[in-house]
Amino acid sequence: MAIIGTQAGPALSTPDDTPPPYEVVELGGAQGGWFRRVGWSHLVGILALAFSLFPIVFVVSAALNPVGTLSSSTLFPTQVSLVNFTDTLAGSFPRWFANTLIVGVLSAGVAMFISASAAFAFSRFRFRGRRGGLLSVLLIQLFPQFLAIVALYLIFTEITDVWPAIGLNSIWGLTLLYLGGALGVNTWLMKGFFDTIPKDLDESAKVDGATHSQIYFGIILPLVRPILAVTGLLGFIGAVNEFLIASVFLTDDRAKTAAVGLYGLIADDQTRNTQFGLFCAGAVLLAIPTVLLFMYLQRHIVGGLTAGAVKG
Amino acid sequence: MARSTADVETTRSAGAPPPSPSGKEVGLTADGTGSPLGLLFKILALGLFAAVAVFACIPLIRTERWVWLAVVVVVTVIAFWVYLSPRPIPLKYLLPGTLLLLVFQVLPVVFTVSTAFTNFSDGHRGSQEEAIAAIEGASLQRVPDSPVFSLSVATQGSDLAFLLLDPDTGDTFVGTEDGLDELQGADESDGTITAADGFTVLTTAEVAARSEEVATFTVPTDDGVIKSQGVSIAYVGAPQQTYDPACDCITDAVTGEVWTADGDVGSFVDADGNALAQGWQVNVGLENFSRVLTDPTIRASFLRIIVWNFAFAIITVVITFALGLLVALALNNSRLRGRTIYRSLIILPYAMPVVAMYLVWREMFNTDFGLINRMLGTEINWFGNTASSMIAILLVQLWLGYNYMFLVITGALQSIPADLTEAASVDGAKKFYSFRTITFPLLLVALAPLLIASFAFNFNNFSAIYLLSEGAPFSPDNPAAGATDILITYTYRLAFGGAGADYGFAAAISVFIFLIVGVISVVGFRQTRALEEVN
Amino acid sequence: MAQVVLDKVNKKYDNGFHAVQDLDIDVADGEFLVLVGPSGCGKTTALRMVAGLEDISSGTLRIGDRVVNTLSSRERDIAMVFQSYALYPHMTVFDNIAYGLKIRRMSSTEIEQRVRKAGDMLELGHLLDRKPKQLSGGQRQRVAMGRAIVREPQVFLMDEPLSNLDAKLRVQMRAEISEIQRDLKTTTLYVTHDQTEAMTMGDRVALMKAGVLQQLGSPQHLYDHPDNIFVAGFIGSPPMNMAVARLIRSDGLSLQLAETVLPIPESVVRARPGLARYVDRDVAIGIRSEDMEDASLARDDAPESRVRAKVALTEALGSEIVVHFDVAAPKPVTADTKALDKDAQTSDVPVAHRGNVFVASFGPRSRVRPRDDIEIVVDRERIHFFDPDTGHAIRD
C-alpha cells in the first residue's frame, strides 16, 4: 500500500553533509553583479520559503487563536493562548493520538521485522519457487492495498462477526491490515539492500560455527540497520497519514486514529468554523512526531556501512 | 507463494543444517537452535501462536464456519511443522510474510475481482432465502380481528421473551423463539405484566439498549407471527407479500400483484419489469463492466473521471518537478549563504501530517471564512466550480510535492559532474543552453523512475481529492461522479457514499484501476529495470 | 590436527556444469598443500566443498578419521580465510577474532586469552578496539588470519587470501603465513591462481585445470618433471618455451628444430624409452629459460648443442639478461596450450602474439643486443618432451 512516503517513494539521497566528489553543475555565474551571483538565488529561496511556510504558520496561528474559529483565524496570530491545546487534550484527541502511535509503531515495527526475514530468505537462500516468489512480491507491491478497499471492507465485515477484536472499529485489525500492506514494498526494498551485503560474511560466520539464525540476527540484521530504519520510519509515517482505509474502518470515536479523528472534528459545515482551532491544535500536536522522525530519517540514511570492510 | 516440501529440498547446498546430533527429525532444537535464549523465544512464540489459534477457533466452531476452521487448523499445523522441522529453512523466514501477504494483499485483490462480477450491493446482499424472509418480514400486517397485546419485554437467561397481556380477555402469554405459551402467575399493574416467575422484565432503558433485537424478534404462531410495535404493544401479524415456491414468485395478498424471481439479476420482477427493492446476490458476469462502457450517463462520467485522473497525476508531477528544479538550481549555488536553513525549512511541508494539511488547505479555501478569500478580498466558491476546484487542488499538490522533488533533484544534480557542462562551455555554449542540452536530459534520465513512481502514487492519491474537494462540484445528472473525482474517490463513493452502496460496481471500477496501474507498471519496469533484480 | 582426504570427489551443478571431476587429494597431517590453477579450474569449488559451503555431488571427504560429507561447516572443525577477508564491519577487531569462540560458548576469560595471544602473534595487539574499516589492507588480512588461528581448528582453508594486497605486501604476508603455519603445524589447504605463491609456500602443490587434477607433488617436482604441457606452462616464470620439433634418427636420436639439428644425449633417450615410438614423428619440446645460455659465455659445451637465432628484444635485469628471440619452429597446439593462452590473457603475463618467441635468461656478462645474430647453448639434458597431440610427457 502507499503508506510509503507522502508523495512518491522514499527520498534516499542525502544532499546535506556529504560533499560531492566533484564540482557540481551550477546555473549562477561567477561574473556579473550581486544579483546574478547570489541575489537571484536568495530571491527564489525566499519565495519558496514563503510558499512552503505560510500554511504551516497559519495552522500554528489558528491553534494559538483563543477564539478558535476559522473566521477569526489569521495568518499571523493576533492573540496567543493555549486554550485550544488544553481543550484538545481534554477531549478525544489523546486517545486518537495514542491509537495512531500504537497502530504506527506496531505495524511498522512488525512489518519491518517480517519483511527483513523474507528479504533474508530471498537474498541468501536458493530454493525452488524463489524466482516466482520474488516476482510475486514485485507484482504485489505495485498495487497499493487501499485500491481493494471494497473487498477489504467486505472481508473485515465478516471478520468482525467472528473475531470482533481484529474487525472493524478495532485498531488491532487496522494494525494487521497495515502490516500486511507494508510487506510487499518493504521486502522488495530490503532485498535489494540485503544483496549488497557480501555473501562471504555469512559463509565466514557459517564456517565459524554459526547457525542460520545466528547469522541472521548476529551478522545480517546489524548490517542492514540503515534500510531497517528507512522502512520502519516510512512505514510509521505512512500509517499516521493513511486516511482511506482508516476512515472506512474506524467509525467508533474511541477507535479512531488521529487522521480520522481530526477529519471528524471539522466534518460538517457547523463544526468546520467553530472547531477549527481545536483541529489546528491537534494537527500541530500530530505534526511533532512526524516532523521529528523526518529530521531523524534525513540524518540517518547513511548507506555504505559495509564499504571498506570487504576488499582492500 | 506457498511452497511444498519438495520446493525447499534444494536449499541444502545454501544453508542446510546438519542432521541433528540426536537423530531427531522434528523437535525444538532440530534446526540447530542452540542458545537458551533462542530456545526460550522459540517456545514462547510457538506457544503464543498455539494459544491464539485455539482462541481463534472457538468462535469459528460456534458459528459453524467449517472452511475457516479448516484454514486456521491447516495454517497452524504448517507453522508448527516449519518451525520444528530442520529442513525448510527458507520457509522459516518466509512463512509469516507469506501468510500476511496472502490474507491482506492477495485475497483482497482476488475478492475485488470476484465481487466485480456480482450485483453485491444494498438490496443484493444475501441469498434468495434471506431476501424472501426480508420481504415477508417487511410486509407484515396485523391480522384483522386479532388481539393487540400489551407487551413487556423480558429475558429468560440471556434469551429474549415477550410477556403478553390480552387487554380484552386478561389472558397472559409468554412468547419465545419457539412459540406462544400460556403464562401463569404473572403480576400485573396498569394493564401490563410487571413480573413473572423465571423471567426478568426489562426496564425501558434496558429495552432501548436492545431495541434492534426487540424490533426483529418474532414469536411464531399458527396465524402468523407476533411482533412488537414500539416497546409496549405487540400484535399478530401475517406477511402481506408471500413467497410461493411453486411459481418461484412473491404474491401480494391485497393487491394481487405478482413478482417472479429473476435469477439473472437477483430480483423479484413484476410483469412491467419493476423489481422489489430487496433482492439477492447473484453472479452478473460482465454486467458491471459493460455498464461503465454502455450506460451513457455512467460512460460520460467515467471517461471524464479518467481524463481528469491522468491530467491530475501528470500535471502534479510536472509542476512539482518544475518548481522543485527551479528551487534546486537556485539553491545549488556555492556562493549562497544559509543554504542549509533554506533547505530544511523548504522541505518542512513534506514532513507535516498530510491528512491534517489537506484539511487545513481545504479550510483556507473555505468560501465564507477561508484565509484565501479574506486575503484576496474575494468570495470565490473554490470547490463550487470545476476550474477553480481543479486549480485549488493542483496548488495544494504543488505545495505538498515540490519540496520532495527539490530534495531528489538536489541529490541528482550533485551526481552530474561539472566537466560535462564545462566541456559544453568550451564549445562556446551559453550557460542555459548547456543546462538545457546536457544537465536537464541527464537529470530526466536519472529521475525517470522517481517521476514514474510519483505519477503512480498520485494517480491513486485518494486523500488529495477526498479531503480537498470531495470530488466537487457535482453535476445534477450523475450525483455519484464529481468533476474533480478520480477513480479511487469514485470507487469510494459508490461503495461507502451516502446513497445505497453498490459494491459490485465499485469493485468493477477497482478492477479498471488495477488494469491501469498494471500498464503504468510495465512502463515503469522498462525504466527501472526492476525485473533484472529478480535473480 | 588431521589429514584431509578427498576421494573421487565430484561437483556437478544443476545446470550440468561439472566443476570438479574425480578429485583425489590427500593432505597429510600438518602439511601445507596449495591448490593452484587458472580461474574457473574448480579449485575454489573444491575448497568450498571441504569447508562445507558446497554440497559434494559424489565421492568421499574425510577430515581426520571422520567422513564429513554430510556434516555442516560447524561440525567439521575447520577455519577459513576468505579472499575478501569477510570481516564483520559492525564488530571490532577483537569481536571479529572472538566471534567463532563466542558462537561455541567458550568462557570469556579463555576467549580473552586466546584473542590476545593471536593478536600478539599477528602484531594486532594495539588494533583490537578498531573497526575493520579503520584498518589497512594488510591489517585486515592479519585479522582474517587471526580469526582462523584463534579457533585452533584441525584444518585451515585459505581462498586466495593474498590477492587483494599489493605486490610488496603480498611477498611479506606470504612469508608470514608460511611461518605461522610452520609454527602451528595445522593442516592447511591453500587456494591460489598465482604459481609463485604455490611454488614458494606449498609443501606440495596440486595443479588443476577444468575441474581435473593435473599433477600433485612437491613444487620442485612439478617444475622439473611436469606431467603435461599444461603443468609445464603454468608452473614457472617465465613460462616454459615450447616448440614442435621432429625426432629423427641420425647417429642416435636427434631433434630437428627448423633448420637446426640437436642431438639428444644418450642418457636422455635411456631415461625416456617412450621416445623411440616418436622417431620420424613430431614431438613437442619444452626448454626452460634458464636452460639456455649465450654461447660466448659457455666454455666447455659441445658444438652440437648450439642453436643460431636472431635476438628480438633484451631485458637487462642486472642479475641476468632476459633475451627474446624468434624460433622458426611452430608452437604446439593442444587443449593444454589453449587453456594456458586463455589464462595468460586474463593474467598479467604478456602474450607472444606473432610467431614463436623463446625467452632465455643469459648470464649478466652477456653482451647481446637486439637484432644480433647469436649462438645459444641449450642444456640438452634438460629438454622436456611431450606428445604434440595429447600434451602428455613422453617417458616410458
Side-chain angles (χ1 to χ4, degrees):
Chain A
M1 65 188 297
I3 58 173
I4 290 286
T6 47
Q7 277 293 304
L12 281 172
S13 56
T14 41
D16 318 62
D17 310 332
T18 42
Y22 28 68
E23 217 189 321
V24 158
V25 185
E26 288 178 13
L27 265 191
Q31 317 87 0
W34 177 83
F35 185 80
R36 282 207 51 193
R37 276 184 287 119
V38 292
W40 74 283
S41 291
H42 278 297
L43 181 69
V44 174
I46 286 167
L47 286 176
L49 214 60
F51 181 46
S52 268
L53 291 186
F54 95 90
I56 297 173
V57 171
F58 176 63
V59 183
V60 176
S61 307
L64 295 172
N65 173 15
V67 184
T69 59
L70 175 59
S71 50
S72 66
S73 296
T74 48
L75 184 53
F76 295 104
T78 46
Q79 291 168 282
V80 172
S81 134
L82 292 177
V83 63
N84 287 324
F85 288 95
T86 50
D87 286 356
T88 296
L89 290 175
S92 296
F93 184 78
R95 171 139 205 132
W96 301 337
F97 194 76
N99 286 344
T100 296
L101 288 185
I102 292 170
V103 173
V105 169
L106 219 58
S107 66
V110 179
M112 182 176 82
F113 180 73
I114 292 180
S115 311
S117 302
F120 176 65
F122 280 128
S123 172
R124 287 322 205 239
F125 298 116
R126 293 290 175 273
F127 48 91
R128 216 187 304 160
R130 176 177 170 277
R131 214 187 129 78
L134 266 179
L135 270 174
S136 318
V137 171
L138 174 61
L139 204 70
I140 286 169
Q141 57 102 23
L142 293 170
F143 295 92
Q145 195 180 29
F146 65 79
L147 292 184
I149 179 65
V150 176
L152 285 173
Y153 176 73
L154 299 176
I155 290 171
F156 270 79
T157 312
E158 281 284 299
I159 289 180
T160 313
D161 286 347
V162 188
W163 304 302
I166 56 164
L168 300 174
N169 267 324
S170 148
I171 56 168
W172 310 116
L174 195 67
T175 304
L176 269 178
L177 190 58
Y178 285 173
L179 169 57
L183 292 178
V185 185
N186 278 2
T187 306
W188 185 248
L189 272 179
M190 284 185 182
K191 192 252 166 194
F193 195 87
F194 276 55
D195 284 348
T196 65
I197 308 278
K199 250 194 143 170
D200 279 0
L201 295 183
D202 314 32
E203 294 187 335
S204 174
K206 204 177 160 197
V207 173
D208 273 350
T211 61
H212 62 87
S213 57
Q214 282 170 324
I215 293 172
Y216 177 56
F217 288 104
I219 306 289
I220 301 295
L221 277 190
L223 291 179
V224 297
R225 269 184 313 212
I227 196 74
L228 293 186
V230 171
T231 51
L233 296 177
L234 286 179
F236 175 81
I237 291 176
V240 171
N241 287 330
E242 207 288 324
F243 178 74
L244 172 50
I245 298 176
S247 73
V248 173
F249 275 40
L250 309 175
T251 46
D252 178 359
D253 196 60
R254 294 167 51 80
K256 281 180 180 173
T257 58
V260 181
L262 288 177
Y263 173 77
L265 270 186
I266 53 170
D268 58 70
D269 290 337
Q270 215 80 74
T271 56
R272 202 168 266 206
N273 187 21
T274 53
Q275 300 198 352
F276 190 69
L278 279 183
F279 164 84
C280 285
V284 169
L285 290 175
L286 181 62
I288 291 171
T290 57
V291 170
L292 285 183
L293 272 181
F294 185 77
M295 299 292 174
Y296 179 75
L297 185 76
Q298 280 265 296
R299 227 178 315 130
H300 250 248
I301 307 166
V302 189
L305 186 61
T306 60
V310 171
K311 304 254 164 172
Chain B
M1 289 185 46
R3 287 177 190 85
S4 69
T5 333
D7 288 342
V8 291
E9 289 282 351
T10 49
T11 59
R12 286 195 67 83
S13 59
S20 57
S22 60
K24 271 192 300 178
E25 269 302 304
V26 173
L28 273 173
T29 55
D31 65 341
T33 306
S35 71
L37 194 71
L39 200 61
L40 183 71
F41 180 76
K42 193 164 170 176
I43 293 172
L44 281 179
L46 283 175
L48 191 69
F49 190 93
V52 169
V54 168
F55 272 107
C57 284
I58 294 170
L60 294 179
I61 295 168
R62 204 184 56 222
T63 55
E64 301 182 356
R65 286 179 158 90
W66 305 123
V67 178
W68 291 38
L69 184 70
V71 170
V72 171
V73 169
V74 166
V75 165
T76 311
V77 169
I78 288 177
F80 270 75
W81 174 75
V82 164
Y83 290 104
L84 292 179
S85 148
R87 302 189 73 99
I89 292 178
L91 264 187
K92 290 175 201 286
Y93 291 92
L94 288 170
L95 189 70
T98 308
L99 288 178
L100 285 165
L101 266 184
L102 282 179
V103 174
F104 294 116
Q105 191 93 22
V106 177
L107 183 68
V109 171
V110 173
F111 199 55
T112 304
V113 176
S114 66
T115 306
F117 293 99
T118 68
N119 64 349
F120 196 178
S121 57
D122 279 349
H124 295 271
R125 279 175 182 271
S127 62
Q128 188 177 4
E129 289 71 40
E130 286 167 324
I132 291 165
I135 291 168
E136 292 186 341
S139 68
L140 274 186
Q141 296 292 332
R142 186 180 152 215
V143 176
D145 306 326
S146 64
V148 175
F149 299 107
S150 155
L151 168 69
S152 302
V153 181
T155 53
Q156 186 177 31
S158 64
D159 294 333
L160 217 53
F162 281 177
L163 304 183
L164 305 168
L165 174 70
D166 187 335
D168 300 334
T169 61
D171 292 340
T172 54
F173 304 91
V174 58
T176 65
E177 281 177 334
D178 304 321
L180 195 65
D181 285 310
E182 303 251 315
L183 181 69
Q184 305 297 337
D187 299 338
E188 300 170 31
S189 88
D190 287 344
T192 54
I193 299 171
T194 53
D197 286 344
F199 296 94
T200 315
V201 175
L202 301 181
T203 65
T204 316
E206 285 167 336
V207 174
R210 304 178 72 159
S211 60
E212 208 167 309
E213 214 181 327
V214 173
T216 53
F217 187 81
T218 53
V219 180
T221 65
D222 298 336
D223 307 328
V225 294
I226 296 176
K227 184 176 184 303
S228 65
Q229 183 173 34
V231 294
S232 55
I233 294 175
Y235 58 86
V236 178
Q240 183 180 329
Q241 296 169 344
T242 50
Y243 176 71
D244 179 1
C247 63
D248 195 13
C249 63
I250 300 262
T251 312
D252 191 309
V254 178
T255 63
E257 280 177 288
V258 175
W259 292 269
T260 314
D262 184 343
D264 289 341
V265 297
S267 297
F268 290 104
V269 187
D270 69 12
D272 303 330
N274 299 317
L276 286 175
Q278 191 67 45
W280 62 99
Q281 192 184 334
V282 292
N283 194 327
V284 294
L286 293 168
E287 163 77 22
N288 288 321
F289 298 96
S290 60
R291 244 170 95 197
V292 174
L293 303 174
T294 53
D295 182 314
T297 318
I298 294 176
R299 185 179 60 200
S301 332
F302 183 74
L303 288 179
R304 207 186 56 224
I305 287 171
I306 284 201
V307 169
W308 162 241
N309 202 155
F310 273 96
F312 164 73
I314 290 171
I315 296 172
T316 298
V317 173
V318 170
I319 58 179
T320 55
F321 181 79
L323 185 58
L325 180 63
L326 175 69
V327 178
L329 288 172
L331 296 190
N332 198 15
N333 182 341
S334 54
R335 284 168 294 271
L336 181 70
R337 272 188 283 169
R339 271 194 295 174
T340 324
I341 295 173
Y342 277 125
R343 187 171 288 156
S344 38
L345 288 179
I346 283 173
I347 60 175
L348 205 55
Y350 183 60
M352 297 294 284
V354 264
V355 172
M357 292 318 290
Y358 276 130
L359 293 170
V360 168
W361 272 100
R362 183 185 78 186
E363 297 316 317
M364 293 205 300
F365 281 115
N366 188 298
T367 312
D368 305 320
F369 315 113
L371 183 71
I372 291 176
N373 273 348
R374 270 189 282 146
M375 285 174 80
L376 297 176
T378 53
E379 283 181 18
I380 301 170
N381 182 2
W382 288 93
F383 299 118
N385 161 313
T386 304
S388 63
S389 187
M390 287 176 177
I391 289 170
I393 289 168
L394 289 171
L395 183 72
V396 178
Q397 285 297 92
L398 179 64
W399 177 81
L400 203 67
Y402 91 92
N403 24 61
Y404 170 77
M405 290 292 180
F406 159 70
L407 209 63
V408 296
I409 291 169
T410 304
L413 277 178
Q414 301 193 332
S415 65
I416 297 174
D419 36 337
L420 280 178
T421 46
E422 270 160 20
S425 299
V426 172
D427 296 340
K430 287 252 166 57
K431 217 144 196 160
F432 184 74
Y433 180 75
S434 75
F435 167 79
R436 190 167 61 81
T437 54
I438 294 165
T439 312
F440 187 68
L442 283 173
L443 261 187
L444 274 188
V445 170
L447 295 179
L450 275 177
L451 297 181
I452 291 170
S454 175
F455 170 79
F457 175 84
N458 281 302
F459 192 81
N460 290 308
N461 196 340
F462 174 83
S463 298
I465 304 298
Y466 187 78
L467 296 178
L468 288 173
S469 73
E470 261 186 272
F474 291 90
S475 71
D477 61 330
N478 187 358
T484 55
D485 257 328
I486 57 176
L487 289 170
I488 183 70
T489 55
Y490 183 46
T491 308
Y492 181 90
R493 184 165 308 102
L494 290 171
F496 310 109
D502 195 346
Y503 300 120
F505 189 55
I509 304 288
S510 298
V511 171
F512 276 107
I513 306 182
F514 289 158
L515 292 177
I516 294 170
V517 169
V519 172
I520 296 170
S521 304
V522 170
V523 177
F525 280 157
R526 295 241 169 96
Q527 284 290 337
T528 58
R529 296 189 292 275
L531 279 173
E532 286 170 22
E533 263 191 72
V534 184
N535 56 38
Chain C
M1 307 303 130
Q3 61 170 160
V4 177
V5 179
L6 286 82
D7 186 4
K8 297 238 175 309
V9 167
N10 280 277
K11 177 71 195 181
K12 243 184 168 167
Y13 286 101
D14 290 343
N15 60 14
F17 179 60
H18 204 158
V20 174
Q21 302 178 26
D22 285 338
L23 188 59
D24 285 315
I25 293 180
D26 60 305
V27 193
D29 188 2
E31 188 183 18
F32 194 118
L33 188 132
V34 177
L35 207 48
V36 68
S39 54
C41 73
K43 57 188 191 299
T44 297
T45 309
L47 187 80
R48 289 169 58 83
M49 284 195 281
V50 177
L53 297 172
E54 299 273 0
D55 268 350
I56 296 172
S57 305
S58 70
T60 313
L61 172 64
R62 263 193 292 275
I63 297 179
D65 43 15
R66 292 189 303 167
V67 174
V68 298
N69 283 40
T70 56
L71 294 190
S72 72
S73 303
R74 64 181 273 133
E75 293 166 300
R76 294 187 186 191
D77 198 11
I78 45 166
M80 184 158 166
V81 179
F82 289 77
Q83 181 175 9
S84 64
Y85 317 141
L87 303 185
Y88 311 128
H90 57 303
M91 298 184 193
T92 61
V93 170
F94 183 96
D95 289 335
N96 261 285
I97 297 179
Y99 184 76
L101 305 179
K102 284 182 182 164
I103 288 285
R104 276 153 215 274
R105 265 173 247 301
M106 194 174 274
S107 76
S108 55
T109 48
E110 167 114 43
I111 292 178
E112 177 88 21
Q113 198 186 343
R114 282 213 202 178
V115 174
R116 298 273 168 218
K117 195 173 131 207
D120 290 344
M121 189 190 269
L122 293 159
E123 294 164 20
L124 289 169
H126 59 296
L127 301 171
L128 290 178
D129 295 331
R130 303 241 181 120
K131 291 280 181 67
K133 65 177 159 199
Q134 296 166 288
L135 303 181
S136 70
Q139 289 167 336
R140 285 177 204 172
Q141 216 286 325
R142 281 166 210 267
V143 176
M145 282 296 296
R147 224 163 48 173
I149 292 171
V150 79
R151 290 256 321 278
E152 299 178 7
Q154 295 203 39
V155 183
F156 284 148
L157 304 175
M158 303 195 190
D159 184 10
E160 312 219 11
L162 303 182
S163 61
N164 284 331
L165 299 178
D166 62 47
K168 209 170 162 189
L169 210 49
R170 205 179 301 172
V171 174
Q172 185 195 337
M173 285 308 297
R174 216 152 69 189
E176 281 191 32
I177 291 177
S178 293
E179 201 182 312
I180 288 168
Q181 197 271 338
R182 264 199 303 281
D183 287 351
L184 299 174
K185 297 190 181 59
T186 306
T187 313
T188 302
L189 194 51
Y190 184 106
V191 161
T192 181
H193 67 272
D194 179 352
Q195 62 90 25
T196 319
E197 276 177 33
M199 294 293 286
T200 54
M201 299 176 81
D203 294 330
R204 283 193 300 156
V205 174
L207 176 57
M208 290 181 71
K209 184 196 78 179
V212 179
L213 179 64
Q214 302 294 305
Q215 194 172 1
L216 173 62
S218 71
Q220 200 59 48
H221 183 80
L222 261 63
Y223 189 81
D224 290 338
H225 305 285
D227 277 352
N228 57 41
I229 292 182
F230 184 79
V231 178
F234 193 86
I235 301 285
S237 176
M240 187 186 278
N241 301 296
M242 295 278 181
V244 177
R246 188 163 268 272
L247 195 62
I248 54 173
R249 192 180 291 280
S250 67
D251 205 14
L253 293 181
S254 296
L255 281 172
Q256 170 124 35
L257 188 64
E259 274 100 72
T260 316
V261 175
L262 271 179
I264 306 172
E266 193 62 28
S267 57
V268 173
V269 178
R270 237 181 294 121
R272 295 177 177 79
L275 272 181
R277 291 197 302 275
Y278 289 85
V279 174
D280 293 329
R281 284 168 60 193
D282 283 348
V283 290
I285 60 161
I287 308 172
R288 293 221 179 261
S289 65
E290 69 269 24
D291 295 333
M292 291 181 279
E293 183 55 284
D294 183 354
S296 64
L297 296 179
R299 305 251 150 105
D300 34 318
D301 61 298
E304 62 267 30
S305 298
R306 299 191 175 196
V307 178
R308 304 186 67 82
K310 191 181 184 77
V311 177
L313 175 74
T314 63
E315 300 167 280
L317 301 179
S319 62
E320 57 175 359
I321 294 176
V322 178
V323 178
H324 299 241
F325 57 92
D326 292 315
V327 172
K331 278 183 169 184
V333 178
T334 67
D336 284 357
T337 60
K338 284 176 192 154
L340 286 168
D341 285 347
K342 200 175 148 211
D343 182 48
Q345 274 155 16
T346 54
S347 73
D348 48 1
V349 182
V351 199
H353 354 259
R354 281 168 295 134
N356 191 356
V357 177
F358 269 37
V359 178
S361 57
F362 288 179
R365 269 169 299 281
S366 171
R367 290 287 167 266
V368 299
R369 294 261 183 283
R371 281 186 296 282
D372 284 357
D373 286 309
I374 56 162
E375 282 197 316
I376 297 159
V377 179
V378 177
D379 185 344
R380 288 172 297 153
E381 300 278 345
R382 295 181 60 86
I383 295 178
H384 301 265
F385 297 89
F386 304 96
D387 184 292
D389 300 318
T390 65
H392 291 310
I394 300 171
R395 286 180 186 145
D396 303 321

